[in-house]
Amino acid sequence: MIIKNGTVVDPTQGMEEIGTVYIRGNRIERIVPGEYQPEAADAEEEVIDASGRYVMPGLIDLHVHFRDPGQTYKEDIATGSMAAAAGGVTTVCTMPNTNPTVDSVQTLDYVIHKAAKEAVIRVEQLSSITMGENNEELVDVAAMKAAGAVAFSEDGKSVMNTALFRDGLMKIAEVDGVVMSHCEDRDLVAGGVMNAGPKQLELGYPGITNAVEDVIAARDIFMAAEQGVQLHLCHCSTKGTVELMRMAKRLGYRVTAEVCPHHFTLTETDIPGDIGNYKMNPPLRSEEDVQALIEGLRDGIMDVISTDHAPHSEEEKAKGFNSAFGIVGLETSAALTFTALVAPGIISMTRMVELMSSNPAKVIRMDSERGTLKPGALADVTIFDPNCVWTVEPEKFFSKGKNTPYAGKTLVGKVTTTICDGKVVYQG
């Protein structure tokens, strides 16, 4: 396969220039800078003209929910993987809070084998930290790591038993594993469903303060550093967490952090009323928080953009802020990032690719083959049109979940082709 005349963006090679990418089988063969010059052997190859578009390593989303096993009416591996492909994502990390929880080798094997059969992109599965995420008994960390768990997370909640969490970190450190933390002090939530602020007061719902996130973020940063564990903070939403990350990096801790597009493109004041598609956890925060997140993404304090793709049925999101927490994000994340951060000049296209591809590959230690277009890397490639203006139409999503606050929103930039393992898996 030959991808010609696109602007090749690869932070791992310091590259943002017109060039042609050659793929042989499922690997990147070479990149030739400059306008495409046909060679005799090219006549037999599949040629994709990427003129006027960006060609980048396949995007990697460290935080998605595919609801399989147990809640496949919301999403399944096949539909989730197609949603990922439509968003330019070639690797996802699926969270373990399924039903049953991914806390055993048997359940982990189920996901791995089903993904191998049904997914059009690469699906990496996390293990929970405690059995059933019940905050009482640790999983068999060594067995789960050996069976292929890419990381460990209690996503959907935090391990609130601090001593048990410490013991879990010790075991994860023994196998040199990665911890992905959902930072939420459940004792402080107290039934909150949206950010504690003006909109919460207007709608009359209980609020979620910033301390709910900040307290656990601080706990997990210090505890992981003490145990020598690599830590990744999920879906950060507050100014406080950005400052904690700034401190952690200054201290040299092994910690990274992700931000979701909804947390840097929407504030609580954008909530038009009691509408369930604006309910997510963490909630939409204040303008001050949003600006801190953007600054962190721009300045290198925050490392990754992930979606926390959380599909629900229409019925589950029809109860306003009494609905289930979560929104879908895979099919809009690249466009939202480009529209909100790249087009206005806040970050460069190279920085966007760092945040959505090369940095995520480093977090899960797969950067030798993913998140890069270096010769020999896996042929996972995303082609992105920066000039495409389009309107979000949830009814056209590949995901079973249509629960997005961006319905009807006009975005700039769209994924037009996704290549995974050397094969075109999405063509827009």
Side-chain angles (χ1 to χ4, degrees), residues 121-141:
I121 51 104
R122 305 179 194 278
V123 176
E124 305 292 341
Q125 178 63 53
L126 279 82
S127 166
S128 63
I129 296 173
T130 71
M131 298 299 295
E133 294 200 353
N134 61 13
N135 198 39
E136 294 174 2
E137 178 189 358
L138 295 174
V139 301
D140 186 336
V141 168

Side-chain angles (χ1 to χ4, degrees), residues 222-387:
F222 287 117
M223 290 183 68
E226 189 170 82
Q227 299 302 329
V229 179
Q230 181 184 332
L231 176 69
H232 178 75
L233 299 185
C234 296
H235 47 49
C236 300
S237 71
T238 69
K239 179 181 179 180
T241 300
V242 176
E243 291 306 311
L244 286 166
M245 280 299 302
R246 199 179 303 276
M247 172 207 70
K249 293 201 167 180
R250 189 173 67 248
L251 293 172
Y253 293 168
R254 295 173 69 199
V255 57
T256 52
E258 74 189 21
V259 183
C260 301
H262 49 272
H263 285 132
F264 64 76
T265 61
L266 295 171
T267 72
E268 61 183 347
T269 59
D270 292 311
I271 300 170
D274 193 7
I275 299 171
N277 284 342
Y278 288 83
K279 182 184 179 183
M280 65 283 289
N281 190 20
L284 298 178
R285 300 289 191 180
S286 70
E287 180 66 29
E288 184 180 20
D289 292 308
V290 169
Q291 291 307 315
L293 294 170
I294 291 172
E295 182 182 327
L297 289 167
R298 184 191 66 204
D299 296 347
I301 299 302
M302 312 305 274
D303 307 272
V304 169
I305 291 174
S306 300
T307 62
D308 193 9
H309 176 80
H312 293 291
S313 69
E314 190 175 347
E315 294 74 24
E316 289 168 321
K317 294 298 285 186
K319 303 168 188 172
F321 275 81
N322 289 315
S323 300
F325 284 105
I327 63 169
V328 291
L330 280 166
E331 295 173 70
T332 54
S333 60
L336 282 167
T337 301
F338 187 84
T339 301
L341 301 183
V342 180
I346 296 169
I347 66 171
S348 67
M349 194 65 194
T350 293
R351 178 63 179 155
M352 174 174 155
V353 177
E354 275 184 341
L355 290 163
M356 302 188 78
S357 184
S358 52
N359 283 356
K362 292 175 187 174
V363 172
I364 55 174
R365 305 174 187 172
M366 294 181 178
D367 49 310
S368 63
E369 292 194 314
R370 307 187 204 182
T372 179
L373 296 176
K374 289 179 179 177
L378 290 167
D380 296 352
V381 183
T382 298
I383 302 176
F384 184 87
D385 183 352
N387 299 308

Side-chain angles (χ1 to χ4, degrees), residues 142-197:
M144 294 300 279
K145 176 85 177 329
V150 70
F152 294 84
S153 180
E154 205 82 343
D155 191 60
K157 57 180 75 170
S158 299
V159 180
M160 289 302 296
N161 181 329
T162 302
L164 184 67
F165 185 55
R166 177 203 60 208
D167 293 346
L169 292 176
M170 290 172 65
K171 290 187 177 297
I172 295 167
E174 288 172 4
V175 298
D176 194 24
V178 179
V179 177
M180 295 190 184
S181 279
H182 170 117
C183 298
E184 178 184 19
D185 189 318
R186 279 180 287 161
D187 297 329
L188 295 180
V189 174
V193 296
M194 63 193 308
N195 188 57

Side-chain angles (χ1 to χ4, degrees), residues 184-225:
E184 178 184 19
D185 189 318
R186 279 180 287 161
D187 297 329
L188 295 180
V189 174
V193 296
M194 63 193 308
N195 188 57
K199 185 59 68 168
Q200 165 249 327
L201 294 173
E202 175 189 324
L203 295 178
Y205 281 106
I208 300 172
T209 66
N210 285 26
V212 167
E213 177 177 315
D214 298 344
V215 166
I216 299 297
R219 181 199 75 166
D220 290 6
I221 286 169
F222 287 117
M223 290 183 68

